[in-house]
Amino acid sequence: MSPETFLSPVWWADDHLMLVDQRRLPVEEVERAYGRWEDVADAIRTLVVRGAPAIGVAAAFGAALAARQSRATTFVALLADLETALKGLAATRPTAVNLFWALERMRRLALASDRLPLDQVRARLLAEAQAIRDEDIAANRALGAHGAALVPANARILTHCNAGALATAGFGTALGVIRAAHALGRVGRVWVDETRPVMQGSRLTAWECAREGIPHTLIADVVAASLMGRGQVDLIVTGADRIAANGDTANKIGTYALAVLGRHHRVPFYVAAPFSTIDPTLPSGEAIPIEERDPAEVRGVGAQQTAPAASSVFNPAFDVTPAALITAIITERGVVRPPYHFA
Ligand code: MRU
């Protein structure tokens, strides 16, 4: 884990990037070192690192690594090598906008460094990646405090997927709100959706809660309706992978169903996300690209096959919750309510 006192899945050490291998949790805590951008791209693609902000931070360090790997002796050649890496890193996963936001920030910094010696360009790129990481942690702490103010005493909070420290540079978004509320003594219980098919809820969110003594109960995804019907959920809070200009929000598959259930049962549905997750270029959620993943994730549970190999599978990794079903969006700048405008 990172040398800091808080949990972080992504950090820089001497001359390489470190990632917690999230595929191995909760069984094993494995850390991996990365010295090449191509391997960072692979780590994003294969879910070693996952969660919108964490992907963005890892990709930024990937870009910094690309500049360090480059043998270029002119600025133009260094920029060409960097562009190749930016393209490769951008091609890893399509939905979380933080990835493209972070890569664009790295590109802009490089373009603005054309008069500097190449060593300084490389150093500035690394410092920018560090800044993206530091800013993410600060944003999550701030949005956690804003969100905790919405949590009533003894709250029973339902969350989906993992929007925790592991999905960010640290602290988390949805789980950041829960962490902050727990510190105020307001959390009665967290209902942790298991989150089929990749199980980020049971593998990662439950692990984070257990590690910090946050009272939690793991449920199969199909249990949420029954809990809400019995009045056992006070609020729902999830993270986001991309928020369109009108507030429509892409997040882990199953999130939309929870928002519909929340509306039916009059349970508030909150989205917690930093501004780096907002995509002002998309007017609505219709245009958000949704990743489709390997059918094997649905044909089995882990390595265990649970369906005929011949069955066709539809496996979207995300869905879009219409803004009309979202009670409020919790950001580092405060709580935004409908109609959504993110100035
Ligand atoms: O496929 P994943 O694990 O990258 O999906 C992650 C999510 O959907 C999270 O809820 C989202 O990225 C917000 S993380 C703070």
Side-chain angles (χ1 to χ4, degrees), residues 50-53 93 161-163 167-168 173 200 239-241 251-252 318:
R50 36 64 53 199
R93 297 191 72 192
C161 192
N162 172 265
T168 63
T173 59
Q200 291 93 333
D241 286 85
N251 191 50
K252 180 54 54 197
F318 303 95

